[in-house]
Amino acid sequence: MDQILEVRGLDKSYAGFALRGVSFSLPRGYIMGLIGPNGAGKTTIIRLLLGLARPDGGEIRALGLDISTNGAIVRSRIGFVHEAPSFYLHLTVAGLASIVARFYPHWDATVFRRLASEFQLPLGKRVYALSRGMRTKLALALALSHDAELLVLDEPTSGLDPVFRRELLERLAAYIQDGNRSVLFSTQITSDLERVADYITFIQGGQLVFSTTRDEVKDRWGLVKGGLELLDEGRRFFRGIETSAFSFTAVTDDVEAARRRFAGREVVVERASLEDLMFYLSRARAGAATGEGEGSPPGRGRDS
Amino acid sequence: MTDYALEVTGLCKSYRGFALRDVSFRLPRGYIMGLIGPNGAGKTTVIKLIMNLVRRHSGEVKVFGLDNRAAGREIRSRIGFVYDFPCFHEDASLDDHRRVIAPFYPRWSEEAFERLLREFELPRDKKFKALSHGMQTKFALVLALSHDADLLVLDEPTAGLDPVFRRELLQRLSALLQDEGKSVLFSTHITTDLERVADFVTFIRNGEIAFSLPKDHLLETWGIVRGDERAVAALDGETRKGLRRSPYGVEVLTSNVDEARRRSGPGVVVDRPSLEDIMVLMTGEGNRAR
Amino acid sequence: MLGNLIRLDLLLGRRVLALNGFLFTFWFAFFLWMGGPDVSVGGYIVLTSVMSVFLPVTVIVREGKFNAAALTCSLPVSRREIVRARYGLSIGLGSCLMVVAITVGLLCPWSHLAVAKLVAPKALLLALSMIVLEVALLLPFLFRFGWIGIIVLLIVLQLLGIVALTLTRLLGHGTAFGLGIKALANALRSLYANLGDPIFVAVWAAVLVLVTFASCALSTWLYGRRRV
Amino acid sequence: MKILIANSSPDPIYEQIARQVKSQIISGDLPEGTSLPSIRRLAQELQISVITTKRAYEELEKEGFIDSVGGKGTFVAAQNADFLREKRMKVVEERLAQAVDEARTLGIGCDQLSEMLRLLCGEES
């Protein structure tokens, strides 16, 4: 299983923020979701991957090449779709495509035209006159038209409705069909990832919480809800707790152990959505819950 | 007669190839209503009409029982608003905006403003345009939540914000509802937020109200029936709200899941719909407007 | 409520206010330096008052740039109050800048303006009249079209000016334009002359008040229909 | 009072609340007269919609488990002894019925089942 993207011990710090020792890798032919609270470092990682900033430490290898030395080659084979596409707004769709085409050796005008018609993108219309959804489709069409092997999306769907989002997810799934191309998809709408992501990388406060397969997240992590009297018993398993007047809810990364521990007792143990994980682990980080607080990564950062 | 925080009746408005046709729904006092619908369905236009920012062709909007044209001033002094379009002076800071806006609101509370400022971790003196997208939304929320509003009108208040903040906002909204006099109209594309705390859900689709129902009733009586063409053929008629054909079979959204179970053929899967499923099935191309 | 609205525009636009205020003042002094001895008090008053009204306009116009009209209109105020506040702001701010212009006229070492005439009631009334008339003309455009309207209006006025100048030079003074310009100049001169006569001033004041209210009503109607 | 909401369970949330409050009243954890949180406080604590908690309380009131005194709040209703006994008998019946269903799926006959029951009763005495 060769890796299309390998990030090892990435460090980057600037005003009031630091990325520390982030490592994860994305095999060919899969979709990886990148999640984490605002300001956790997701955009920084993407900027480093695209060579828009230089890491203080660590290494990024994309498409088998070290990006610090051959960033240009790597960038020509990466398709980048970001939240506020800062295109030249006064250009028409076709005009913009012709400019972008010059930057990419493998640009394929027929592919772009096919995608433009598929997305119902009016070639003659000015970019500033396009709706938000249309601009994201344009960004996607451009990213898919130069034979990119790695698609990087940074919050492409914020403010877009579920119909559009599902259509985008279907396109991403189609994109990786040949098993040779991959997607790195950073989003705050985690329900989208629950639909298509094969891997999930969770970044919090500049550190890796985990980077593993979606199924492993589903199997290992869980929500435990119980009466307040059971709280202390379970502290060993709990990684983030929220108490209310009538019960506590905690997230655990060893749901089997929690099931065994509380078998037969009046406890609800159920699957945790990615949103639950982010919410309750932020409680741990805020030190509101267990003593060990800091969400230390559970050992195996990279999954072979 | 239950009193309503918001009564929209027969609202019509058309411009630039888009039209609101006879939009009517009501939000009882003391509850949260989710407003959902695809981009361009008219959600923002309805909100602008409630705030009387644009002119309507016909229809009536009553807020706290008062007509929003006759008693616009009284109403707006009790409404907190967050828009999904830019409306702040970009070269002015949060403090500048507080200084100019606070005098307009009789129930403005400096203490509430300061507490929200700290909790949202917002810089007091940074210019609006220098803030990140998420911070700008929080900027609007602080101003909307600092004058003890009786009705919150929030248009995409969580766009671009992470699940942690979104859930904290929902907790804040449900805390607000401890006071039965408070109500919230909450338009969003992130329907999972609504599934938790919304009491009512109103769905707008190309300028028309598809439904406006209590959320529990909606999620309990509606269902998705998945099967092949034959198995779901019997499910047409009034209760069929949406249909989607996919390579693996047909998905029908029905407003009466028990009846659908009885009338559908063998080998059919019946599932509980999420709000997102309902939206997708009711706006997908394979769907004939019911 | 009007006070709060005026405060809103002034406070949010304070940087623009300070910058333009300084620029205008500098321009007044420069105009006097360029004009030298043949700048008449009447001429100076007319020109500086026409300029002064553009200071409040640059403050009010900011709202359009940031689409902040939605914010102001969402506050517990009526459109009528917003319009009235802006008329007050425009006349007030225009008058303040006129005071500055007159002070510049007095203090500037290279100013040849007769001090007595510059501060005479006639001159002050002329200035006020010009400000009120200009505000009545400009603000409806501002409320209907926002900052684009003002720019279009300015461009149109300048074009008219250029056309007028070329025509008068080419065809001599007989043309309609030439007559138009001359008529305007005469009207201003007679206005200036009559402002000494109290009865005329009383009538003229009534006219100004009427014009302002009419323009204010028009602006309220226009702003009410504007899609924010 | 303890209430645990399982989002993944098929039954509606208001039913889960009603069932858990009922069992705590029947088991005596919530004795007569205890004051219950308002529907809005419960909705805030459990992060669900006010209408859901309202429906739960309406069902509990309909079945006589609680009554709400206008303005002063909601309290556990006076459960007369045999009404309570009858309720607890119903719970026992339900559990036995489940056991019978389970046994049938495993092909265990009625007599074998009663033998197991005697054994279980035997152990306790």
Side-chain angles (χ1 to χ4, degrees), chain A residues 5 22 24 31-37 41-47 49 152-155 183-190 193 197 199-204 208 210-211 274 278:
Chain A
L5 172 66
V22 171
F24 62 89
I31 294 178
M32 172 180 273
L34 185 58
I35 61 172
K42 302 198 300 296
T43 304
T44 311
I45 291 173
I46 288 179
R47 283 170 55 81
L49 164 60
V152 177
L153 301 103
D154 184 7
E155 287 293 338
V183 174
L184 182 64
F185 185 10
S186 164
T187 180
Q188 296 294 8
I189 305 172
T190 50
L193 295 180
Y199 289 82
I200 299 290
T201 296
F202 182 3
I203 305 285
Q204 189 170 41
L208 183 77
F210 58 71
S211 175
L274 290 176
M278 284 180 70

Coordinates of all heavy atoms in Angstrom, one line a residue, chain A residues 5 22 24 31-37 41-47 49 152-155 183-190 193 197 199-204 208 210-211 274 278:
Chain A
L5 N 0.6 10.4 0.5 CA 1.0 11.6 1.3 C 1.5 11.1 2.6 O 0.8 10.2 3.3 CB -0.3 12.5 1.6 CG -0.1 13.6 2.6 CD1 0.9 14.7 2.0 CD2 -1.5 14.3 2.9
V22 N 3.1 16.6 14.3 CA 2.0 16.0 13.7 C 2.4 15.0 12.6 O 3.2 15.3 11.7 CB 1.1 17.1 13.0 CG1 0.0 16.4 12.2 CG2 0.4 18.0 14.0
F24 N 0.9 11.8 10.0 CA -0.1 10.9 9.5 C 0.2 10.6 8.1 O 1.0 11.3 7.5 CB -1.5 11.6 9.7 CG -1.7 12.8 8.9 CD1 -2.2 12.8 7.6 CD2 -1.4 14.1 9.4 CE1 -2.3 13.9 6.8 CE2 -1.6 15.2 8.7 CZ -2.0 15.2 7.4
I31 N -10.2 8.4 0.8 CA -10.5 9.7 1.2 C -10.2 9.9 2.7 O -10.6 9.0 3.6 CB -12.1 10.0 1.0 CG1 -12.4 9.9 -0.5 CG2 -12.5 11.3 1.6 CD1 -13.9 10.1 -0.8
M32 N -9.5 10.9 3.1 CA -9.2 11.2 4.5 C -9.8 12.5 4.9 O -9.7 13.5 4.3 CB -7.6 11.3 4.7 CG -7.3 11.8 6.1 SD -5.5 11.9 6.3 CE -5.1 10.2 6.8
G33 N -10.6 12.4 6.0 CA -11.2 13.6 6.6 C -10.3 14.2 7.6 O -9.6 13.5 8.3
L34 N -10.1 15.5 7.5 CA -9.3 16.2 8.4 C -10.2 17.1 9.3 O -10.9 18.0 8.8 CB -8.3 17.1 7.6 CG -7.2 17.9 8.4 CD1 -6.4 16.9 9.2 CD2 -6.3 18.7 7.5
I35 N -10.3 16.8 10.6 CA -11.2 17.5 11.4 C -10.5 18.1 12.6 O -9.4 17.7 13.0 CB -12.4 16.6 11.9 CG1 -11.8 15.4 12.8 CG2 -13.2 16.0 10.8 CD1 -12.9 14.6 13.5
G36 N -11.1 19.1 13.2 CA -10.5 19.7 14.4 C -11.2 21.1 14.6 O -11.8 21.6 13.7
P37 N -11.2 21.6 15.8 CA -11.9 22.8 16.1 C -11.2 24.0 15.3 O -10.1 23.8 14.8 CB -11.7 23.1 17.6 CG -10.9 21.9 18.1 CD -10.6 21.0 17.0
G41 N -5.3 24.0 13.6 CA -4.1 23.9 12.7 C -4.3 23.2 11.4 O -3.4 22.9 10.7
K42 N -5.6 22.9 11.1 CA -5.9 22.2 9.9 C -5.4 23.0 8.6 O -4.7 22.5 7.8 CB -7.4 22.0 9.7 CG -8.0 21.2 10.9 CD -9.4 20.7 10.5 CE -10.4 21.8 10.2 NZ -10.7 22.7 11.3
T43 N -5.8 24.3 8.6 CA -5.4 25.1 7.5 C -3.9 25.3 7.4 O -3.3 25.3 6.3 CB -6.1 26.5 7.6 OG1 -7.5 26.3 7.7 CG2 -5.8 27.4 6.3
T44 N -3.2 25.3 8.6 CA -1.8 25.4 8.6 C -1.2 24.2 7.9 O -0.3 24.3 7.0 CB -1.3 25.5 10.0 OG1 -2.0 26.5 10.7 CG2 0.2 25.8 10.0
I45 N -1.7 23.0 8.2 CA -1.2 21.8 7.6 C -1.3 21.8 6.1 O -0.4 21.5 5.3 CB -1.9 20.6 8.2 CG1 -1.6 20.4 9.7 CG2 -1.6 19.3 7.4 CD1 -2.4 19.3 10.4
I46 N -2.5 22.3 5.7 CA -2.8 22.3 4.2 C -1.8 23.3 3.6 O -1.2 23.1 2.5 CB -4.2 22.7 4.0 CG1 -5.1 21.4 4.3 CG2 -4.5 23.1 2.5 CD1 -6.6 21.6 4.2
R47 N -1.6 24.5 4.2 CA -0.7 25.5 3.6 C 0.7 24.9 3.5 O 1.4 25.1 2.5 CB -0.7 26.8 4.5 CG -1.9 27.6 4.3 CD -2.0 28.7 5.4 NE -0.8 29.5 5.4 CZ -0.6 30.5 4.5 NH1 -1.4 30.8 3.6 NH2 0.5 31.2 4.6
L49 N 1.4 21.7 3.3 CA 1.4 20.7 2.2 C 1.6 21.3 0.8 O 2.2 20.8 0.0 CB 0.1 19.9 2.3 CG -0.3 19.1 1.1 CD1 0.7 18.0 0.9 CD2 -1.7 18.4 1.4
V152 N -7.1 18.2 -2.6 CA -7.1 18.8 -1.2 C -8.2 19.8 -1.1 O -8.3 20.8 -1.9 CB -5.7 19.5 -0.9 CG1 -5.8 20.2 0.5 CG2 -4.6 18.5 -1.0
L153 N -9.2 19.6 -0.2 CA -10.3 20.5 -0.1 C -10.3 21.1 1.4 O -10.3 20.4 2.3 CB -11.7 19.8 -0.3 CG -11.8 19.1 -1.7 CD1 -11.6 17.6 -1.5 CD2 -13.2 19.3 -2.2
D154 N -10.3 22.4 1.4 CA -10.3 23.1 2.7 C -11.7 23.8 2.9 O -11.9 24.9 2.3 CB -9.2 24.1 2.8 CG -9.0 24.8 4.1 OD1 -9.8 24.3 5.1 OD2 -8.2 25.7 4.3
E155 N -12.6 23.2 3.7 CA -13.9 23.8 4.0 C -14.6 24.2 2.7 O -15.1 25.4 2.6 CB -13.7 25.1 4.8 CG -13.3 24.9 6.2 CD -14.4 24.3 7.1 OE1 -15.6 24.3 6.7 OE2 -14.0 23.6 8.0
V183 N -8.0 11.8 -1.6 CA -8.6 13.1 -1.3 C -8.3 13.4 0.2 O -8.4 12.6 1.0 CB -10.2 13.1 -1.5 CG1 -10.8 14.4 -1.0 CG2 -10.5 12.8 -2.9
L184 N -7.9 14.7 0.4 CA -7.7 15.1 1.8 C -8.8 16.2 2.0 O -8.8 17.3 1.3 CB -6.3 15.7 2.0 CG -6.1 16.2 3.5 CD1 -6.1 15.1 4.5 CD2 -4.7 17.0 3.5
F185 N -9.8 16.0 2.9 CA -11.0 16.8 2.9 C -11.1 17.4 4.3 O -11.5 16.7 5.3 CB -12.2 15.8 2.6 CG -13.5 16.5 2.5 CD1 -13.7 17.8 2.4 CD2 -14.7 15.7 2.4 CE1 -14.9 18.5 2.3 CE2 -16.0 16.3 2.3 CZ -16.1 17.7 2.2
S186 N -10.8 18.7 4.4 CA -10.9 19.3 5.7 C -12.3 20.0 5.8 O -12.6 20.8 4.9 CB -9.8 20.4 5.9 OG -10.1 21.2 7.0
T187 N -13.1 19.7 6.8 CA -14.4 20.3 6.9 C -14.9 20.3 8.4 O -14.4 19.5 9.2 CB -15.5 19.5 6.1 OG1 -16.7 20.1 6.2 CG2 -15.6 18.0 6.6
Q188 N -15.8 21.3 8.7 CA -16.4 21.3 10.0 C -17.7 20.5 10.0 O -18.3 20.3 11.0 CB -16.7 22.8 10.4 CG -15.5 23.7 10.5 CD -14.6 23.2 11.7 OE1 -14.8 22.2 12.3 NE2 -13.5 24.0 12.0
I189 N -18.2 20.2 8.8 CA -19.5 19.5 8.8 C -19.2 18.0 8.8 O -19.0 17.3 7.7 CB -20.3 19.9 7.5 CG1 -20.4 21.4 7.5 CG2 -21.7 19.2 7.5 CD1 -21.0 22.0 6.3
T190 N -19.0 17.4 10.0 CA -18.4 16.1 10.1 C -19.4 15.0 9.6 O -19.0 13.9 9.2 CB -18.1 15.8 11.6 OG1 -19.3 16.2 12.4 CG2 -16.9 16.7 12.1
L193 N -18.3 13.6 6.4 CA -17.2 12.7 6.5 C -17.8 11.3 6.9 O -17.3 10.3 6.4 CB -16.2 13.1 7.5 CG -15.5 14.4 7.1 CD1 -14.4 14.8 8.2 CD2 -14.8 14.3 5.7
A197 N -15.8 9.2 4.3 CA -14.3 9.2 4.6 C -13.9 7.8 5.0 O -14.6 7.1 5.7 CB -14.1 10.2 5.8
Y199 N -10.5 7.4 6.1 CA -9.6 7.7 7.2 C -10.1 9.0 7.9 O -10.6 9.9 7.2 CB -8.2 7.9 6.8 CG -7.5 6.6 6.3 CD1 -7.8 6.1 5.0 CD2 -6.7 5.8 7.2 CE1 -7.2 4.9 4.6 CE2 -6.2 4.6 6.8 CZ -6.4 4.1 5.5 OH -5.9 3.0 5.1
I200 N -9.8 9.1 9.2 CA -10.1 10.4 9.9 C -8.8 10.8 10.6 O -8.2 10.0 11.4 CB -11.2 10.2 10.9 CG1 -12.5 9.8 10.2 CG2 -11.4 11.5 11.7 CD1 -13.2 10.9 9.4
T201 N -8.4 12.1 10.4 CA -7.3 12.6 11.2 C -7.8 13.8 12.0 O -8.5 14.7 11.4 CB -6.2 13.1 10.2 OG1 -5.7 12.0 9.5 CG2 -5.1 13.8 10.9
F202 N -7.6 13.7 13.3 CA -8.2 14.6 14.2 C -7.1 15.5 14.9 O -6.3 14.9 15.5 CB -9.0 13.9 15.3 CG -9.8 14.7 16.3 CD1 -9.8 16.1 16.2 CD2 -10.4 14.1 17.3 CE1 -10.4 16.9 17.1 CE2 -11.1 14.9 18.3 CZ -11.1 16.3 18.2
I203 N -7.2 16.8 14.6 CA -6.1 17.7 15.1 C -6.8 18.6 16.2 O -7.9 19.1 15.9 CB -5.6 18.6 14.0 CG1 -5.1 17.7 12.8 CG2 -4.5 19.5 14.5 CD1 -3.8 17.1 13.0
Q204 N -6.1 18.7 17.3 CA -6.6 19.6 18.3 C -5.5 20.4 19.0 O -4.5 19.8 19.3 CB -7.4 18.8 19.4 CG -8.1 19.6 20.4 CD -9.0 18.7 21.2 OE1 -8.6 17.6 21.7 NE2 -10.2 19.1 21.5
L208 N -1.8 16.0 17.1 CA -2.6 14.9 16.6 C -3.4 14.2 17.7 O -2.7 13.8 18.7 CB -1.7 13.9 15.8 CG -2.5 12.8 15.2 CD1 -3.1 13.2 13.9 CD2 -1.5 11.6 14.9
F210 N -5.8 11.6 16.8 CA -5.7 10.3 16.2 C -5.7 10.4 14.7 O -6.2 11.4 14.2 CB -6.7 9.3 16.7 CG -8.2 9.7 16.5 CD1 -8.7 9.7 15.2 CD2 -9.0 10.1 17.5 CE1 -10.0 10.1 15.0 CE2 -10.3 10.5 17.3 CZ -10.8 10.5 16.0
S211 N -5.2 9.4 14.1 CA -5.3 9.4 12.6 C -5.5 7.9 12.3 O -4.5 7.1 12.4 CB -4.0 9.9 11.9 OG -4.2 9.7 10.5
L274 N -18.6 11.8 15.0 CA -17.3 12.6 15.0 C -17.6 13.9 15.7 O -16.7 14.4 16.4 CB -16.9 12.9 13.5 CG -16.4 11.7 12.7 CD1 -16.1 12.1 11.3 CD2 -15.2 11.1 13.4
M278 N -15.5 15.4 18.9 CA -14.9 16.7 19.0 C -15.4 17.5 20.1 O -14.6 18.2 20.9 CB -15.2 17.5 17.6 CG -14.3 17.0 16.5 SD -14.7 18.0 15.0 CE -14.0 19.5 15.4

